[in-house]
Amino acid sequence: MKDSATVSSIETASNGSEKRTKQRGGRGRVKSTPKGRRVDPKALEEVVALLGDAPRRRDLLIEHLHKIQDRYGCLAAPHLVALAADMKMAMTEVYEVATFYHHFDVIKDGDTPPPPITVRVCDSIACELAGSHKLLNELPGKLGAQVRVLHAPCVGRCETAPVAVVGQNPILNATVGQITKAVEAGQVKHPSERSNVTPGHIDYAAYRASGGYALAAACFAGEKKPAEVIALMEDSGLRGLGGAGFPAGRKWKLVAAEPAPRLMAINIDEGEPGTFKDRFYLERDPHRFIEGALIAAWAVGIDAIYIYLRDEYHGCRAILEQEIAALKANPPYAIPEIHLRRGAGAYICGEESSMIESIEGKRGEPRLRPPYVAQVGLFGRPTLEHNMETLHWVREIIEKGPAWFAGHGRRGRKGLRSFSVSGRVKKPGVHLAPAGITLRELIDEYCGGMLDGHELYGYLPGGASGGILPASLADIPLDFDTLNPYGCFIGSAAIVVLSNHDTAAAAARNVMRFFSDESCGQCTPCRVGTQKALQLMEQRHWDAPLLQELSQAMMDASICGLGQAAPNPALTVLKYFTEEVQ
């Protein structure tokens, strides 16, 4: 046995060689520190306190990242390391998710945290038409270095363009003066979150008092049969109102045929520029779609419901948190579990499989199909995926009968459409109109006509990805499938009206810039194709053959609808507005 002096001398002599051996990864010695970054005790203490008793499940990773971002204004490296340790996850897993979403500010060691207030100015198509470029040019000089001014994709308030968001507080029909006042007053939270109530919406007590949830309770009590209700949905002709248009009743039947347990995912990641109908209904009658979801859950045999809400809708989230809590506290019957999940700024999560990945706490990248989400969806289970507005109509269709809904169309079309109308009209907003109405009729009958001094020049019939049509084609019925022969589609029925003060080429550049920014980057045709297409479209004279070849490659080879539909605006400009780009 060596005495202490001998041990000390050996340690001193070998210190340098031992360190070199560790650096070379030599064998025979145990490293004195863990591999990778060490957890900062103070950061871990802060994360543990912030998360409290919340479960540390992987699917709650994005929710926990939001808590840190909301509390500290960014995601600093020590907090990310601490979160990974607390959740028993690899640091790379946490980091790759945090860096995927636009609304997370990941701060590396040595980087300067963002200023305390961020102002996001929407520069998507409707806001650009309304002058958002002026805000972006003037605000940095007015607000100073303590406020960060960012370009933002569509924030879902196109009827009040231009829109800026101070923190989480939307400023409608924004001016530089209004934004400056909001910043100076520290108005960074959405008004509904400051007061905890959004005036005007039908709350749980009022909804129940007017007969709400009576139908869902009757279904649960056995007064109706699932097959009977599914048949009513099929007879109504209701199709998915998120853009794809798949028949709702048929989807219920397909998922019901899959083995239990089954889940439901409700998509309210309404990120398509020009679209704001879901927010409109959420702010007014939130229980309407929740009851529709409960009826669908009963008919299909759903064990749990997951609601995915885009992060820009802070006021809607406050409403839903309040109303879901009220429903759970006094349910009309034994309802399935309802989970509300918060997006983090990623348009791609409007695609159903990307949304499911995000709900699971992952990067919102589309899945390859098959299998389809109806077979292998959320957490590997058969999943009924629906847009919010689709479920909004369920109660009325069952109460009033499928003929009531189907009987509203024009020109042989069936049903009602919630048109999100923005641009050069006197009354922009959500207009409920018969399927098959034409744009000219929609403007004249519902929108109060064109703005004074503006003449109809063209329109986007299906949001950013639906293509662009000239005024000469303003008498086409607006519905599923009617626009396909013209290289367009209706999608979520987002109508952006252009006038003789605008150009279709500028509108197409705007939406292609959006697609380039929002591509998730998973597949090369979309990631590179949108960038290259934008470069070609920024030229005064477009290289039509090259742009068409590139567009065909994107449509043929992209994994999901973003890359497949992104070329539509460019191709329709080449087809109908050739004089602008020759």
Side-chain angles (χ1 to χ4, degrees):
M1 182 176 179
K2 299 181 177 71
D3 61 32
S4 60
T6 304
V7 172
S8 177
S9 63
I10 292 173
E11 289 177 347
T12 302
S14 65
N15 183 57
S17 61
E18 181 179 354
K19 182 176 181 182
R20 288 191 295 272
T21 303
K22 289 179 180 178
Q23 291 172 341
R24 293 195 302 269
R27 297 180 179 179
R29 297 185 184 275
V30 179
K31 293 186 177 182
S32 61
T33 59
K35 184 178 180 180
R37 297 184 62 112
R38 301 187 66 177
V39 179
D40 179 82
K42 183 174 184 297
L44 181 60
E45 180 182 348
E46 291 170 343
V47 168
V48 170
L50 191 60
L51 269 54
D53 296 331
R56 269 47 170 188
R57 300 194 314 269
R58 167 63 193 263
D59 62 290
L60 293 173
L61 173 59
I62 294 173
E63 298 295 310
H64 296 336
L65 289 170
H66 272 303
K67 291 178 182 178
I68 298 172
Q69 173 84 31
D70 291 346
R71 170 64 179 82
Y72 296 101
C74 62
L75 298 175
H79 283 142
L80 292 177
V81 175
L83 179 63
D86 191 39
M87 296 186 70
K88 295 181 172 55
M89 293 176 60
M91 175 60 198
T92 52
E93 292 181 283
V94 174
Y95 185 79
E96 71 174 3
V97 172
T99 54
F100 180 83
Y101 295 93
H102 295 315
H103 291 180
F104 291 143
D105 292 308
V106 177
I107 305 301
K108 299 179 183 178
D109 291 333
D111 287 353
T112 303
I117 297 178
T118 295
V119 175
R120 289 181 167 87
V121 178
C122 177
D123 61 356
S124 287
I125 179 66
C127 285
E128 183 177 85
L129 293 176
S132 61
H133 60 279
K134 182 176 185 293
L135 301 179
L136 285 163
N137 290 337
E138 296 182 10
L139 281 172
K142 295 284 186 179
L143 298 177
Q146 291 304 304
V147 178
R148 179 176 57 164
V149 179
L150 299 177
H151 294 252
C154 186
V155 296
R157 296 183 178 275
C158 315
E159 79 278 31
T160 54
V163 180
V165 182
V166 178
Q168 298 179 351
N169 180 26
I171 309 298
L172 313 181
N173 302 119
T175 65
V176 172
Q178 288 174 318
I179 298 168
T180 302
K181 288 180 181 178
V183 169
E184 291 173 348
Q187 295 174 347
V188 297
K189 290 188 176 181
H190 191 282
S192 70
E193 292 181 295
R194 294 201 297 268
S195 63
N196 203 33
V197 173
T198 296
H201 83 271
I202 301 170
D203 66 13
Y204 182 61
Y207 188 76
R208 287 290 299 272
S210 63
Y213 292 108
L215 176 60
C219 291
F220 182 80
E223 296 178 22
K224 294 182 181 296
K225 303 292 185 185
E228 171 193 350
V229 169
I230 292 175
L232 290 174
M233 294 297 296
E234 287 187 296
D235 291 344
S236 72
L238 178 67
R239 296 173 64 170
L241 298 172
F246 193 86
R250 191 191 309 172
K251 183 181 285 189
W252 290 19
K253 184 180 291 185
L254 289 171
V255 178
E258 295 293 327
R262 308 174 195 93
L263 302 173
M264 180 188 294
I266 302 173
N267 195 335
I268 321 181
D269 193 66
E270 187 178 43
E272 180 82 3
T275 309
F276 47 92
K277 61 184 177 59
D278 291 352
R279 173 189 56 77
F280 177 87
Y281 289 123
L282 272 175
E283 290 176 338
R284 289 156 179 81
D285 196 1
H287 288 281
R288 182 75 54 169
F289 95 89
I290 297 175
E291 181 169 12
L294 292 176
I295 293 169
W298 161 81
V300 177
I302 298 295
D303 286 5
I305 298 169
Y306 288 79
I307 301 171
Y308 189 83
L309 179 70
R310 72 179 306 203
D311 192 35
E312 289 83 352
Y313 288 173
H314 301 290
C316 292
R317 187 171 66 254
I319 291 172
L320 282 177
E321 287 172 346
Q322 173 182 300
E323 298 306 322
I324 291 172
L327 171 62
K328 290 180 177 180
N330 181 28
Y333 59 92
I335 64 174
E337 190 64 32
I338 299 175
H339 304 274
L340 177 61
R341 294 297 175 84
R342 178 179 174 185
Y347 166 73
I348 192 63
C349 289
E351 194 274 338
E352 61 177 7
S353 66
S354 301
M355 175 193 65
I356 285 173
E357 289 287 296
S358 190
I359 292 174
E360 292 180 355
K362 304 172 186 174
R363 294 163 64 92
E365 295 178 335
R367 297 178 179 178
L368 292 172
R369 286 164 287 189
Y372 297 95
V373 299
Q375 303 163 311
V376 182
L378 189 57
F379 307 120
R381 302 310 310 166
T383 302
L384 178 64
E385 187 274 342
H386 265 314
N387 168 259
M388 190 223 83
E389 195 208 346
T390 310
L391 296 168
H392 176 89
W393 292 110
V394 168
R395 175 185 164 187
E396 284 191 278
I397 287 172
I398 297 173
E399 286 181 338
K400 299 178 180 179
W404 165 81
F405 184 78
H408 281 88
R410 295 183 184 178
R411 300 177 178 85
R413 312 307 296 181
K414 293 182 178 181
L416 292 164
R417 295 288 174 269
S418 301
F419 292 97
S420 304
V421 184
S422 60
R424 309 299 193 177
V425 295
K426 289 182 178 177
K427 295 180 181 178
V430 173
H431 297 291
L432 187 61
I437 194 172
T438 68
L439 174 79
R440 208 177 302 278
E441 292 169 340
L442 186 65
I443 292 174
D444 292 342
E445 297 176 29
Y446 291 85
C447 301
M450 297 289 292
L451 287 172
D452 293 338
H454 291 257
E455 297 177 7
L456 179 63
Y457 176 70
Y459 65 107
L460 287 71
S465 55
I468 307 176
L469 292 174
S472 60
L473 295 177
D475 296 309
I476 301 170
L478 297 174
D479 196 21
F480 295 111
D481 310 321
T482 59
L483 298 162
N484 296 16
Y486 303 91
C488 297
F489 59 81
I490 193 169
S492 57
I495 311 291
V496 184
V497 180
L498 307 177
S499 78
N500 55 328
H501 294 252
D502 312 308
T503 67
R509 277 192 294 270
N510 179 284
V511 297
M512 187 59 76
R513 189 177 303 114
F514 170 83
F515 290 132
S516 179
D517 289 341
E518 292 296 328
S519 173
C520 74
Q522 184 182 14
C523 67
T524 303
C526 177
R527 181 184 68 252
V528 177
T530 52
Q531 295 175 1
K532 296 298 183 182
L534 180 59
Q535 292 172 5
L536 291 171
M537 294 165 68
E538 286 175 339
Q539 304 302 313
R540 173 63 186 87
H541 303 287
W542 291 8
D543 187 334
L546 183 57
L547 191 53
Q548 287 168 337
E549 182 181 358
L550 176 62
S551 296
Q552 192 63 54
M554 293 170 63
M555 292 187 291
D556 290 343
S558 294
I559 290 175
C560 81
L562 193 159
Q564 294 163 8
N568 288 337
L571 293 176
T572 48
V573 167
L574 290 173
K575 185 175 183 179
Y576 300 114
F577 301 92
T578 310
E579 70 283 355
E580 290 188 17
V581 293
Q582 283 183 337

